[in-house]
Amino acid sequence: MKKKMVLLNTTVLLGLGGVLSTPAYASTIQDMESQKSQIQNQRQDVQSNIKAASDELTRLQAEQDQMKAQLERLTLAEKENNKKAQKTEADIKETSKQVEQLEKEIKLLQEKLEKRNAILKDRARSLQESGGNVEYLQVLLGSSSFGDFVDRALAVSTIVDADRGILKETKNMQDELKTKQADVKSKLASLEDMKAELDEMTVQLAAQKKQKDALAKELKDKEAKNEELKASLQSKDSSLANEQSTLEQNIKDQKAAEEAARKAAEQAAKEAAKKAAEQAQKAAAAPAEKADSSSAKAEAPKASSNDVAPTSAPAPKASNVVTVGNRWIGNSAYVFGGGRSQSDISHGLFDCSSFVHWAYSQVGVNLGPLGSVSTETLKHAGTQVSSSQMQPGDLVFFDTYKKDGHVGIYVGGGKFIGAQSSTGVAIANMSSGYWKQKFNGRVVRI
């Protein structure tokens, strides 16, 4: 009888274990958990791409803001250069008129002088007895009486004084007019040089502005595409989030159903066990043996971490004349005569000579009064050296619209930094192309 009871209890326990295992539920939840994990991984990838797109948008926006500032700077520079070009053209016209007027005055004066010389000759001849080319002394000696001598002496003296005065006055006027004419022509040549540079600069600035506009459009197009990509990624992330939420709800519902089934199975097992026990008690008087269960405890492994000491960033190096101007690259514009006021410098508006003056002032070297600095003053500011001995920091000169019309600072490697009319402050290659053709070999060491 005892063996029958043990067999019955074993059968009940096996049946209960079969009910509690629910392999169908476990398999379904495991699949959904796996799918959920895949979706979470996809979301992480999508969110990483969204962050990358946001970072790129931020970078493009900063680049676009910088480009807008540069375009505004170029617009201002173009406006100032056009004003100077118009003023130069007006000065050229006015100076040309002055030259024409002086030439007319000189011509009239020469004609007047020739007429005066003819009158003097006629007057002298009228006092000459022979009618030939007689000296003034012969005129006096030819007098017929003392009274005639006095009259002739007075006439000759008057003629001589008039002749000398007219000639002296005429010569002084000629010298004065020639001096004025030389000064005006020199000024006219200088103005024409200025106009030639301004014309070249205006063309280059227009080309640069066109290039900047195209770049700004390209940046805007990239920004639009990036916004579109970001929106697409956000939509995909939202879809994945909904799918994940649905899976989580399904898993929750499935676990709830499994829990309900487990409880129902436990209740059925209890009732079956109770019924089996009652039947067993009726079959035998001996008490049923009870089984003990034991449990084991596991210790969770402890996690350890190591602290990493932070490293300090290296101290920045001091700027020198070769690199101090790098801050203006892409943030400046060329203005003829610019860079000679704090306002111009604050806005990055330079010409070649004012930039060189500013760069050297930043390292404590004074190249003379800022208001009068030019390529002419700079080429006499230091010591002339051979181009074969050129070193970083030396001034290099180029024949552009005139001899020594442009100056920059040699940075090494066949390159120089300067305020270029087409780009503003920039590093250019002087070992090939345009600047190689314009480099005249003049090198000045400060």
Side-chain angles (χ1 to χ4, degrees):
M1 179 65 81
K2 185 181 289 186
K3 289 182 179 180
K4 289 182 178 181
M5 179 178 277
V6 173
L7 182 60
L8 179 60
N9 287 335
T10 301
T11 302
V12 171
L13 291 173
L14 287 173
L16 180 59
V19 172
L20 293 177
S21 65
T22 59
Y25 287 123
S27 177
T28 303
I29 291 175
Q30 184 178 2
D31 290 343
M32 286 191 292
E33 288 286 2
S34 177
Q35 189 176 357
K36 175 185 173 182
S37 177
Q38 292 176 0
I39 291 175
Q40 287 175 334
N41 291 335
Q42 291 179 24
R43 284 198 68 193
Q44 287 179 355
D45 292 340
V46 171
Q47 289 170 353
S48 177
N49 290 334
I50 290 175
K51 183 180 183 304
S54 297
D55 292 343
E56 179 66 9
L57 280 174
T58 301
R59 187 191 69 78
L60 286 173
Q61 185 61 53
E63 190 174 350
Q64 191 175 44
D65 291 342
Q66 183 180 6
M67 191 60 61
K68 287 179 180 178
Q70 178 67 355
L71 287 173
E72 290 176 1
R73 198 177 292 111
L74 286 171
T75 301
L76 175 61
E78 187 177 25
K79 181 179 179 181
E80 290 298 317
N81 288 324
N82 285 333
K83 284 171 59 178
K84 290 182 181 294
Q86 292 172 2
K87 182 179 183 303
T88 301
E89 290 174 352
D91 290 344
I92 289 174
K93 290 180 180 179
E94 180 61 28
T95 307
S96 298
K97 290 180 180 179
Q98 294 176 10
V99 171
E100 291 176 1
Q101 182 61 33
L102 285 172
E103 289 175 344
K104 289 180 180 179
E105 291 177 4
I106 290 175
K107 184 177 180 180
L108 290 174
L109 183 59
Q110 289 173 340
E111 292 175 354
K112 185 176 181 181
L113 180 60
E114 290 176 358
K115 290 180 180 179
R116 285 187 177 185
N117 287 338
I119 292 173
L120 287 172
K121 288 179 181 178
D122 290 341
R123 291 172 61 186
R125 289 193 187 97
S126 67
L127 294 175
Q128 294 173 358
E129 292 181 345
S130 64
N133 186 12
V134 182
E135 299 289 342
Y136 289 134
L137 180 60
Q138 291 177 309
V139 174
L140 293 175
L141 294 176
S143 58
S144 58
S145 64
F146 181 74
D148 185 25
F149 177 84
V150 171
D151 290 338
R152 289 191 178 201
L154 289 174
V156 168
S157 175
T158 301
I159 292 171
V160 170
D161 290 341
D163 190 7
R164 184 182 298 110
I166 290 174
L167 290 174
K168 184 177 180 181
E169 179 185 357
T170 302
K171 186 177 184 303
N172 289 340
M173 291 180 67
Q174 281 180 320
D175 291 342
E176 181 181 359
L177 288 175
K178 286 180 180 179
T179 300
K180 288 182 179 181
Q181 187 180 39
D183 290 341
V184 172
K185 286 184 177 180
S186 175
K187 183 179 178 182
L188 180 60
S190 176
L191 289 172
E192 287 175 344
D193 286 342
M194 290 169 59
K195 185 178 182 300
E197 183 178 18
L198 285 168
D199 288 344
E200 178 183 1
M201 179 181 53
T202 301
V203 172
Q204 292 174 337
L205 282 174
Q208 184 187 27
K209 187 175 184 302
K210 184 178 179 181
Q211 180 183 7
K212 295 296 184 182
D213 287 341
L215 185 54
K217 183 179 182 302
E218 180 182 354
L219 286 172
K220 188 174 181 180
D221 291 342
K222 286 182 179 179
E223 185 178 12
K225 290 180 180 179
N226 215 24
E227 285 283 8
E228 183 180 351
L229 173 61
K230 183 179 176 182
S232 174
L233 289 171
Q234 288 174 336
S235 175
K236 184 176 181 180
D237 181 64
S238 177
S239 176
L240 288 171
N242 291 335
E243 189 175 347
Q244 179 179 336
S245 177
T246 301
L247 277 172
E248 289 172 349
Q249 184 61 44
N250 290 342
I251 291 172
K252 183 178 179 182
D253 294 342
Q254 192 72 5
K255 286 182 176 181
E258 180 182 354
E259 182 66 17
R262 187 184 65 80
K263 288 181 178 180
E266 285 181 351
Q267 185 63 30
K270 286 179 180 179
E271 291 177 356
K274 183 178 180 182
K275 186 175 180 180
E278 289 175 352
Q279 291 175 352
Q281 286 177 356
K282 290 179 181 180
E289 296 179 357
K290 297 182 179 179
D292 295 329
S293 62
S294 61
S295 62
K297 295 182 180 180
E299 293 184 358
K302 294 182 179 180
S304 62
S305 62
N306 296 323
D307 293 332
V308 179
T311 58
S312 59
K317 296 181 179 179
S319 297
N320 56 37
V321 72
V322 174
T323 59
V324 71
N326 289 352
R327 58 171 290 195
W328 294 115
I329 295 176
N331 297 304
S332 60
Y334 185 97
V335 173
F336 186 83
R340 288 164 178 78
S341 68
Q342 190 55 50
S343 175
D344 279 358
I345 294 173
S346 299
H347 289 87
L349 304 179
F350 296 98
D351 65 9
C352 61
S353 53
S354 66
F355 170 75
V356 169
H357 187 284
W358 174 87
Y360 269 93
S361 71
Q362 299 305 295
V363 295
V365 178
N366 185 358
L367 296 181
L370 176 60
S372 59
V373 66
S374 66
T375 55
E376 286 296 315
T377 63
L378 290 177
K379 74 181 185 181
H380 300 296
T383 303
Q384 304 280 332
V385 297
S386 170
S387 59
S388 62
Q389 299 175 339
M390 196 158 42
Q391 296 177 1
D394 290 344
L395 303 188
V396 287
F397 291 80
F398 304 85
D399 293 343
T400 51
Y401 71 102
K402 67 175 184 178
K403 185 171 181 58
D404 299 318
H406 188 70
V407 63
I409 302 173
Y410 186 64
V411 300
K415 297 180 180 180
F416 75 99
I417 186 171
Q420 331 297 8
S421 59
S422 59
T423 59
V425 176
I427 295 176
N429 188 351
M430 58 182 290
S431 60
S432 64
Y434 176 82
W435 292 112
K436 180 180 180 180
Q437 296 175 359
K438 298 298 182 179
F439 179 52
N440 61 18
R442 185 187 297 278
V443 180
V444 173
R445 183 161 298 159
I446 302 299

